[in-house]
Amino acid sequence: MRLVGSDVLKFGLSTLRTTRAHRVLGNSWRGLGAIFMLHRVVEQAPRSHDFAPNRGLEVTPAFLDAVISRVRDLGYDIVDLDEMVRRLRKGGPGPFAAFTFDDGYLDNADLALPIFEKHAAPFAVYVASDLPDGIADLWWLTLEASIRALDHVEMDIGGETISHAAHTEKEMRGAWESVYWRLRDVSEDDARHAVARLAELAGVDGQALASSLSMRWDDVRRLNDHPLCTIGAHTASHFALAKLPLDRAREDMMAGTARLESELGVRPRHFAYPYGDEGSAGLREFDLSSEQRFASAVTTRKGLLFDAHGNHLRALPRLSLNGDFQDVDLVEVLLGGAPFALWNKFRRVNVA
């Protein structure tokens, strides 16, 4: 995390849970509900001291199973995306929760689906079409594999040379911190080119790595045909849209949607912005999703859902089920809304 260290945030959430301070605000910040955001489900979480910088994108089946149970125990209806939109437009009823996955990983079909079947709970998967096409550039995973394979990392990023030892787990974590956010600052093409050069030096085949983790079109069709699953669009190439020229951003959104429609026979009604933070999706991108007539579009901006989001259906916040925080007791803290009230400076809607 760039601004708030993982350990600091974990301590803050644990303190709220222990002291019950999150209950001071009562239910006023719980809102109508929440959209949970996930990426991958993996059989075993990395050890805390392992070099696993993408661990935040991974949760275990046991944790996901426990979260669904806890959400229902707290009185939430688990709804699909169409029902979520209906309730936001009507201002209720609540509380409700929607579960969403980004990108299109194979484990969504193999490991997540059985858990949602067990609970008879709906969920959604936003698929970037390059994944099932077998041409995805999941550069953040390639970067992790490359750093792990090298003893020393040297990268030219945006005209700046970054050099860092990578012998030990600690050094590898330092190398990641040195380059990851710098890559996020430069253009999408420059970032991917820089990682590709490092991968070549490390002997890492990034495309093979991505293909091994991605659903194929048969898997996507299997989920699309399942009554519990909604397939949403997530662009073709998973670029940070706000960093692209307007025409290119529009093209990547349209290409991913068209590719899904051609394979599934139905146009996706819902969309997720790649990366989804303020630097990757803003007012221009919200207008693009409106232009393409998506019923809803989700960001990764932190927050819960309120009545006012019925007027901002293409700029919806989500609650991350982060692999760094696989403690089901924290779910009640997050759903209470206090962390997000503080994070958003007591604004219920953050679309600027």
Side-chain angles (χ1 to χ4, degrees), residues 8 10 16 29 49 81 90 98 104 112 142 147-148 159 188 247 256 269 290 292 294 339 342 352:
V8 173
K10 186 182 295 185
L16 283 173
W29 285 91
H49 60 276
L81 297 183
K90 293 179 179 179
T142 302
I147 292 174
R148 186 179 290 110
E188 291 290 274
D247 288 346
R269 287 174 38 80
S290 297
Q292 296 189 35
F294 288 111
L342 297 171

Side-chain angles (χ1 to χ4, degrees), residues 3 20-21 33 49 58 99 111-112 163 178 196 204 242 266 272 276 279 297 303 317 328 339 344:
L3 299 177
R20 305 291 183 180
H49 60 276
E58 303 172 352
F99 283 82
L111 297 180
S163 182
S178 295
V204 172
V266 60
V328 73
N344 291 316

Side-chain angles (χ1 to χ4, degrees), residues 17 79 91 155 180 192 217 262 267 278 284 287 310 313 315:
R17 180 192 60 192
V79 302
M155 301 181 73
Y180 176 80
R192 294 185 183 210
W217 283 113
S262 70
R267 186 182 186 279
E278 289 85 344
R284 188 193 72 167
D287 287 342
L313 290 169

